[in-house]
Amino acid sequence: GAIDYKSLIQALKDDCLAVSKLLGATDLFMYDLPDNRFDTVPLLEVIKIIEGLIDRVNPHSIYTHHIGDLNIDHSLVCRATLTAARPLAASAVRDIYSFEIPSSTDWTFHQLSPVFRPNVFVDISKTLETKVHAMELYKNESRHFPHPRSPESLRAIARRWGSTSGLQAAEAFELIRSIRNNSK
């Protein structure tokens, strides 16, 4: 049968609200962009959304999807973020990091360039189970093992990056850009 995209998107928005509550997020911004079809939207439209968020939030650090991700939406969000956060004198953005998405970054099998090459690792030993629980709240995104978004796989990924970086469990990021101002 036909997929009811309106109900699917509403369920995803409901899941986002539940996860933001679990994590204690103070703000949640959602937009009506077509799921898995960002390539049908002018890139400038996505850039303008992100520029608006940067103006509103004034972040020093931004975390975005990896540009070599298999999911077209993720790849375009990264590209739009890099454009929106270009290093202008008035910008507060100093650091930009990309992250991997299990079943989206890894399923490129290193065939899309650039490949994810993490070089920043954050200890998540104490928050790993919260991360797993948050993923389980995304009912339409969480999967059973051996899928990369299963609880078992998320724990294994965190332990793998932990073992790479001398930690029990870690989240891996690739530093895209860091601007240091030592004159202050």
Side-chain angles (χ1 to χ4, degrees), residues 22-144:
L22 170 72
L23 300 179
T26 54
D27 289 308
L28 176 63
F29 305 97
M30 291 190 258
Y31 299 89
D32 291 320
L33 293 167
D35 184 43
N36 255 329
R37 294 187 317 252
F38 279 23
D39 55 335
T40 66
V41 176
L43 185 61
L44 184 59
E45 192 175 318
V46 182
I47 292 167
K48 292 292 184 192
I49 290 170
I50 297 170
E51 284 176 338
L53 286 169
I54 290 171
D55 288 345
R56 183 172 179 176
V57 177
N58 204 29
H60 294 281
S61 298
I62 294 179
Y63 296 83
T64 187
H65 302 83
H66 187 263
I67 201 161
D69 204 285
L70 191 60
N71 182 304
I72 190 70
D73 292 356
H74 299 171
S75 182
L76 289 173
V77 163
C78 181
R79 184 171 174 182
T81 299
L82 293 177
T83 304
R86 53 201 175 276
L88 302 174
S91 177
V93 178
R94 295 291 171 244
D95 299 326
I96 302 175
Y97 301 91
S98 67
F99 51 81
E100 66 179 337
I101 300 289
S103 81
S104 194
T105 311
D106 48 350
W107 280 358
T108 63
F109 298 100
H110 300 288
Q111 298 304 305
L112 295 181
S113 291
V115 299
F116 181 65
R117 296 181 343 175
N119 52 15
V120 176
F121 301 90
V122 176
D123 186 347
I124 62 166
S125 303
K126 292 181 172 63
T127 57
L128 177 56
E129 289 310 310
T130 302
K131 175 184 176 169
V132 170
H133 180 55
M135 186 67 226
E136 289 175 321
L137 290 178
Y138 284 108
K139 297 172 203 74
N140 289 315
E141 299 293 326
S142 186
R143 301 283 189 269
H144 296 291

